[in-house]
Structure formats: structure tokens, C-alpha cells
Amino acid sequence: MPAVPGRDRPDRPRHHLHSADGHLARLSLAGEARPLPKIIEKSREERTMKHLLKSVAVAALGTLAASAAQAQTTQLRFAHMNGAQHSVNLGALKLKEAVEARTNGRVQIGVFPSGQLGESTAVGEQISLGSALIGQLSTGVLSDYVPDYSVLVYPFLFKDFEQIKVFLTTDMPKQWAKELEKNNLKLLCYMSFGTRDLYTRNKMVRVPADMTGQKFRVQPTTIYTELARSMGATPTPMPWPEIYSALSQGVIDAAEAPPNAIVDQKHYEHAKMYMKTNHIVDVSPIVMSLSAFNRLSKDDQAAVAEESQKACDWMSEDTAKAYDSSIQVLKSRGMTIVEDVDRAAFAKRAEAIEKAFPKWTPNLVSKVKAAIGGQ
């Protein structure tokens, strides 16, 4: 048959054949088919294996890096009893943002309002036991560890927060803070929680005698139970979140708090009388676990401490601005605002409260007055 152009002719020598075992073969000069060296396939296998090992190594390094980053991240929780729109919560969110930015995310802060992590006493206990918590606590809670702390909210002792700030720069409170650290409590800063006033379900109060027999909700600490007794009322210790229902059901007749806190919790829905007693200028410490603080690097410790002070300053300023505006809100919600209160009579009754504190430094109230120079 004549050859077809483009097709291999039978007599044209082939350069490559396949051997019986499937390996590529080539013809020798003598015309024998010999297998190609297996080095070609071995080279391919080696390249494949190297690529696989490289991929595994990269993945492993990525996992280790992620684990290391996770291990280096500190998770803190900020706990408090106020609502989401209260100055404390808004200030805590500012603290969270500032610390996380300044530490490049090494320190993360979750904010838990409305007693989600427990009431103040329980939060203080958790902090003391080493939980990675920051808490806005009452001085009454700190007085469980250092009794003298409760003098900071002694009725009618300080005229305003500026006067308290002067006192906080003196030696006494500095020593209290050192004593706190023996209980694993690290004081970060103080903030003004506001000027506290009296409010009732329906009774107008102008003098202490008007409080006789009234069931008066107070914080479950001695300074507040003694305040109620000094007014002639029946102290009824109760956690803050329970006040709303207690007012609505008549379990209590009266309570006391700064006006913005009353707005925050909507107590005006069941309390109709607001008396401007101004009996306590409330100062609230921000505290964290000392052991958790010490686990931070020096730079991160500085970030937490300095940004906490800035947050406290902001909370104090916001609280001060909120006093008059919050009273107007209470008035618009139907509360009667009583201004002609005999504060001198209430203050006179409160002088005997110091006798209820045998664990205080002797003559503590007089020493505080001397420290602020009678301002």
C-alpha cells in the first residue's frame, strides 16, 4: 500500500516505546527497547512530597501563631449594677475602647451591665478570689475588707465631690488602698456616683419625724442601715435590681439614690415624692483583681490604670451634669420635687452614726474633717 503523507511508515524508526511494565522506553542504537531511568518519576515524587511538607509546615506555623496570639490576649470583664444608658456603662465602654486600642488588642474588656455577673458584694468577692474582673463597687463593699472605707459615704460629711477628691489625695485613703491589696483588690480609680436623695412612694418628707415607721430600702451595708435608723425609718436591706418591684408591690415605702439612677431604673413609675436631702455625695471605687493586674505586662498595666482614671473622670463629669436634668425628667414623669427639706435636722441625727462602727479608726470622722481643712 502506498504511504499516506503525514503517517508514520512501518519502516520509520520509532524513538520511544512503552515497556511491558508501563515505563517509558527508548530504543538503543541496536534497536532494543530499554526503560527510561526511574529518576524522572522519583524527582516528581520528591517535588510533590516537598510541596506537601511545606504546606503542612505553613499550616502548623499558622496554628502556632494563632495559639500564641490567643494565649497572649487577656480577657477582662467589667461588671456593674446600672443600666445600659447610665454614666457608668457609657464610661465602661469608653474604657474598653481605649484599652483595646492602646494595647493593640492584647487586653480585651467585655462590659456587663445590670448585675449580669452578680450584685456588688458578689462581684467584690469574685475579684478578691482572683477572677479577671473589673467592678464598679460601693464603698460599703470595700469596707468588708478595710472598715474605714465606709466613711467616704458618711451622711452630710462632704459637701461635694471636689471636696472628696481633696481628701482622696491624703495619706489615709492611700493607706486604705494598700490594705485592699492584701485582699487581692487593686484600686484603679474613684468616680462620682452622684448626690443621693430620698424618694418615697407617696409620702412627703421634710423632717426626720416624717420618716417614722417607713420601710426604707437601703444597701445591705452598715452605713446605710444606720442612716435609715437615724431618720427614724425601718431599714430594709435589698439589692438594687429588686427595688422596682418592691416599690410597685408596697414591700418598701422609700429608697434613696442619685436622680439619674432613678431615671435609669424607672422608679418614678411607682414612687411619686422626691426629697432633695442631698444626704450623701456618693463616691464609687473602680476595682480589679490584683493578681489579674499583675499578670499584665508593664505597658498594659499602665494602659489599664491610666485609661481607668480617664474613664472615672468622664463618668464623674457626666454624673454631675445629669443631676439637674434628671430631676427635671423625674418631674416630667409625675414626681413631686420637695426642696424645703430640713437638712440640718437630718444632719444632726446622723452625727450618732459613728458609734455603730467600733472597727473604725478612733475619731475617724473628725480626722477626715481635719484632713480636708474644714473646706
Side-chain angles (χ1 to χ4, degrees):
M1 181 181 291
V4 179
R7 290 186 180 177
D8 289 338
R9 290 191 298 272
D11 57 342
R12 177 177 294 178
R14 295 181 182 273
H15 297 286
H16 297 93
L17 296 172
H18 283 84
S19 62
D21 63 357
H23 291 297
L24 191 65
R26 64 185 178 185
L27 288 174
S28 68
L29 292 175
E32 297 180 315
R34 292 185 302 166
L36 283 170
K38 293 187 178 181
I39 191 170
I40 297 175
E41 286 197 355
K42 186 176 180 181
S43 177
R44 289 174 180 169
E45 291 173 357
E46 288 177 346
R47 287 198 301 270
T48 301
M49 183 58 70
K50 287 180 180 179
H51 180 72
L52 178 60
L53 290 173
K54 184 178 179 181
S55 299
V56 171
V58 169
L61 287 172
T63 302
L64 288 172
S67 299
Q70 186 175 12
Q72 292 172 2
T73 299
T74 298
Q75 299 285 343
L76 300 176
R77 295 175 295 167
F78 190 115
H80 65 92
M81 301 286 287
N82 311 285
Q85 297 306 311
H86 191 275
S87 301
V88 170
N89 196 65
L90 299 178
L93 291 174
K94 289 180 178 294
L95 173 63
K96 167 187 171 66
E97 182 180 3
V99 168
E100 291 179 1
R102 185 165 164 179
T103 64
N104 294 317
R106 290 186 304 274
V107 179
Q108 301 282 323
I109 301 178
V111 179
F112 297 83
S114 304
Q116 293 179 47
L117 301 184
E119 51 86 30
S120 292
T121 300
V123 170
E125 290 173 352
Q126 292 178 61
I127 293 173
S128 180
L129 291 172
S131 294
L133 285 172
I134 299 173
Q136 178 249 329
L137 306 178
S138 69
T139 55
V141 171
L142 296 193
S143 69
D144 289 339
Y145 305 94
V146 182
D148 284 0
Y149 258 112
S150 52
V151 78
L152 288 176
V153 289
Y154 196 92
F156 303 100
L157 178 57
F158 297 101
K159 65 181 181 181
D160 53 33
F161 187 63
E162 291 304 312
Q163 197 175 58
I164 293 176
K165 286 167 65 176
V166 170
F167 174 68
L168 292 175
T169 64
T170 65
D171 291 338
M172 266 190 291
K174 290 178 181 179
Q175 183 58 40
W176 300 344
K178 292 179 181 178
E179 291 294 318
L180 275 182
E181 294 191 357
K182 296 178 183 179
N183 294 280
N184 198 39
L185 298 169
K186 168 70 177 176
L187 179 70
L188 294 175
C189 57
Y190 296 95
M191 53 87 60
S192 171
F193 195 68
T195 300
R196 304 183 76 91
D197 289 322
L198 173 69
Y199 57 107
T200 67
R201 294 180 74 228
N202 48 34
K203 186 169 185 177
M204 187 174 293
V205 175
R206 289 192 173 89
V207 296
D210 294 334
M211 285 294 289
T212 302
Q214 292 287 291
K215 293 172 289 187
F216 187 4
R217 179 272 169 184
V218 293
Q219 296 181 36
T221 58
T222 304
I223 194 77
Y224 283 96
T225 57
E226 291 303 313
L227 168 67
R229 290 192 178 99
S230 75
M231 291 182 177
T234 301
T236 308
M238 180 181 296
W240 176 250
E242 297 179 16
I243 297 178
Y244 182 90
S245 61
L247 285 169
S248 68
Q249 297 169 15
V251 174
I252 58 173
D253 303 307
E256 56 83 47
N260 59 329
I262 301 170
V263 172
D264 181 61
Q265 298 294 309
K266 300 183 179 181
H267 291 173
Y268 53 77
E269 293 182 355
H270 302 292
K272 298 305 175 184
M273 295 289 173
Y274 185 95
M275 278 60 64
K276 295 179 71 172
T277 50
N278 289 186
H279 52 272
I280 291 175
V281 179
D282 201 357
V283 56
S284 187
I286 305 297
V287 178
M288 77 174 288
S289 164
L290 177 62
S291 56
F293 183 81
N294 287 341
R295 286 194 295 269
L296 301 175
S297 68
K298 294 298 183 183
D299 287 345
D300 291 350
Q301 286 178 2
V304 170
E306 292 167 12
E307 297 304 331
S308 292
Q309 184 59 61
K310 292 177 184 177
C312 274
D313 291 343
W314 184 89
M315 293 179 205
S316 298
E317 292 171 6
D318 196 61
T319 297
K321 291 187 293 186
Y323 183 83
D324 290 333
S325 61
S326 294
I327 287 180
Q328 291 305 311
V329 172
L330 295 177
K331 186 175 182 179
S332 70
R333 296 293 190 272
M335 292 190 81
T336 298
I337 310 301
V338 181
E339 302 202 31
D340 58 338
V341 178
D342 189 348
R343 293 186 70 251
F346 282 103
K348 184 67 176 176
R349 290 281 198 97
E351 290 177 357
I353 289 178
E354 188 172 11
K355 297 177 182 178
F357 294 91
K359 293 183 179 180
W360 276 6
T361 297
N363 303 312
L364 180 58
V365 173
S366 296
K367 290 178 178 178
V368 172
K369 290 179 178 178
I372 58 179
Q375 293 185 25

